[in-house]
Amino acid sequence: MRRPRPTLRLRLTLVYAGLFFLAGMSLLGVTYVLFRQQLANSAAELVDGPPGRDRQMVIRENDTVLTGDAALEWMRRQQADLQDAATTSLLTQGSIALLLVGAVAGVSGWAVAGRVLAPLHRVTATARRIAAAPATDRSLHQRIDLRGPDDEVKELADTFDRMVERLDHAFDGQRRFVANASHELRTPLTLNRALVELAMHRRTASPDVLQLGESLLQINARHERLISGLLLLARSDQEIAERTPVDLADVVSHVVAQAKADADEAGVTVEEATAAAPTSGDALLLERLVHNLVENGVRHNRTDGTGWVSVATRAVPADRVVVEVSNSGPVVAPYDVPALFEPFRRLGADRLVTAKGSGLGLSIVRSIARAHGGEVVAIPHEGGGLTVTVTLPGAAPY
């Protein structure tokens, strides 16, 4: 198990405290040397006396009279004991004082380090909010906007703000381009469909022309679905400005009723198991989310008449609601699941240009889920098919 690394604040505090202890020990060592030297000089001057002074001394100790060299020796011993006691007191009290002041310095260093690193915490918190947002490009409007002196930390925060601003403009431009291009492409497709239908309805139209017209109308319809999907994808990538109460159970019942005809034609049984799942958001987008899931479940299923699709809604703890769509169908490898949510990514035979889908179904589902603060997960079945689970924030029942 990997041990957690100490934080930068802790490392700075340890550096501050370590430098203080080194400086304090050095000061205490220098003070000790100078103090010993001063005591030695004072003792020598006291014992030996100034030059020319009479060195005959008389000392009385416990009714004992010491004179001459014995008195001097006794004086030297007393001075040595005094020096030892003084230096011991200096080292002991100095060490205690060093520890106490060092502890105060460590606490002060912790507080100073926290104050110095506070702007970096703002940078980190903003970056985490952007990264953890349901859709990162929609949260790029957030800025650090650090106030303070023009130092290295403010320069870092301002650089981060400029980078996020450029990314925000880039994503906005991309969404506008997709929406505008999709709108512009709708007009020629509508004109193409009208011309083909006009040619097919002529009395002189030959069977070859009719067959060619049917093929062209199918291709034109597929392109129209593709453009509609691009428009919806661009719309679902935007922030949900107005939210209304929506019960996913009602949405599922409505979508299943609409999909019954296509399911019967494909020989697929659609089962519904709904419970109250109140949420809030854009009702049309949430309906499209459920519609895409059910449509994918019916379309990518068995072709022998034994296929099935199960749709369920429920509320789960932590104020969340779930819509879950399971279906039978071809086997999907677990490593292929992430590709299903990428635009224009298809598996197997669905890669054909003439396929009914546009390759945007699950991409739109993920985009709508993220726009509503939710998430989507797909799990393949061992015998074939998928279970796609969309989790959204719950709301009070209405």
Side-chain angles (χ1 to χ4, degrees):
M1 182 177 179
R2 186 176 179 181
R3 300 177 62 182
R5 297 182 59 186
T7 62
L8 178 59
R9 184 179 186 182
L10 178 59
R11 295 201 300 269
L12 287 176
T13 303
L14 293 177
V15 170
Y16 297 154
L19 291 176
F20 178 83
F21 274 111
L22 286 176
M25 292 177 64
S26 300
L27 178 61
L28 184 60
V30 171
T31 303
Y32 170 76
V33 172
L34 295 177
F35 184 69
R36 290 280 297 183
Q37 184 177 0
Q38 182 63 32
L39 282 180
N41 293 337
S42 299
E45 182 178 351
L46 179 62
V47 174
D48 297 335
R53 197 184 80 176
D54 186 6
R55 296 176 59 85
Q56 296 297 322
M57 302 181 63
V58 177
I59 297 176
R60 295 181 179 274
E61 182 184 17
N62 297 330
D63 298 330
T64 302
V65 178
L66 301 177
T67 59
D69 293 338
L72 290 175
E73 184 63 25
W74 181 86
M75 180 72 75
R76 291 190 180 96
R77 288 198 305 270
Q78 294 297 320
Q79 291 295 334
D81 294 340
L82 179 61
Q83 289 180 8
D84 292 340
T87 53
T88 300
S89 177
L90 173 66
L91 292 177
T92 302
Q93 296 180 8
S95 299
I96 294 174
L98 179 61
L99 290 175
L100 293 177
V101 179
V104 174
V107 174
S108 301
W110 176 266
V112 171
R115 186 176 182 83
V116 171
L117 295 176
L120 294 181
H121 291 316
R122 289 186 58 182
V123 176
T124 304
T126 304
R128 284 177 176 172
R129 284 196 303 271
I130 294 176
T136 304
D137 55 314
R138 291 196 305 275
S139 62
L140 292 175
H141 63 277
Q142 301 185 50
R143 300 291 183 270
I144 300 173
D145 194 20
L146 184 64
R147 304 294 181 183
D150 292 331
D151 53 13
E152 291 82 355
V153 177
K154 189 175 188 303
E155 183 180 2
L156 172 63
D158 292 342
T159 303
F160 183 86
D161 284 343
R162 288 193 294 270
M163 178 191 68
V164 173
E165 184 177 4
R166 293 187 63 181
L167 288 174
D168 193 14
H169 291 330
F171 280 111
D172 284 340
Q174 182 184 27
R175 285 193 293 268
R176 285 194 299 269
F177 171 78
V178 171
N180 293 335
S182 300
H183 278 297
E184 292 296 327
L185 288 174
R186 273 185 165 181
T187 301
L189 286 176
T190 303
L191 180 60
N192 288 342
R193 185 177 69 251
L195 292 175
V196 172
E197 290 176 346
L198 179 63
M200 292 176 63
H201 286 84
R202 288 179 178 177
R203 294 180 180 179
T204 58
S206 64
D208 291 339
V209 171
L210 293 177
Q211 184 177 1
L212 177 61
E214 289 292 341
S215 299
L216 291 177
L217 286 178
Q218 289 181 5
I219 295 175
N220 201 85
R222 180 181 180 277
H223 289 164
E224 288 178 344
R225 288 196 300 270
L226 173 61
I227 292 174
S228 298
L230 288 173
L231 280 172
L232 184 60
L233 187 62
R235 179 188 171 193
S236 61
D237 274 339
Q238 299 173 2
E239 192 71 29
I240 305 298
E242 296 183 2
R243 293 175 176 265
T244 57
V246 179
D247 192 337
L248 293 178
D250 297 336
V251 175
V252 167
S253 299
H254 176 69
V255 171
V256 169
Q258 287 185 329
K260 182 173 177 56
D262 292 337
D264 293 340
E265 182 181 352
V268 176
T269 302
V270 180
E271 299 176 353
E272 178 185 347
T274 57
T279 184
S280 63
D282 189 308
L284 292 178
L285 288 180
L286 291 174
E287 180 183 345
R288 186 55 184 264
L289 179 148
V290 177
H291 177 271
N292 281 9
L293 291 176
V294 175
E295 184 182 50
N296 277 357
V298 172
R299 179 179 296 164
H300 306 286
N301 215 307
R302 298 171 185 166
T303 58
D304 57 0
T306 62
W308 56 268
V309 175
S310 175
V311 189
T313 60
R314 63 182 182 275
V316 295
D319 295 329
R320 310 288 282 183
V321 294
V322 168
V323 54
E324 184 176 88
V325 178
S326 300
N327 68 289
S328 59
V331 176
V332 180
Y335 53 82
D336 283 332
V337 171
L340 297 176
F341 293 93
E342 297 299 326
F344 309 111
R345 295 291 297 273
R346 305 181 185 89
L347 300 179
D350 290 338
R351 296 180 184 273
L352 298 176
V353 176
T354 56
K356 294 183 179 179
S358 60
L360 293 174
L362 289 181
S363 301
I364 293 174
V365 169
R366 182 178 63 177
S367 183
I368 295 175
R370 288 180 172 179
H372 288 78
E375 58 183 7
V376 56
V377 177
I379 301 175
H381 300 163
E382 187 173 346
L386 284 173
T387 294
V388 182
T389 303
V390 178
T391 305
L392 299 173
Y398 59 91

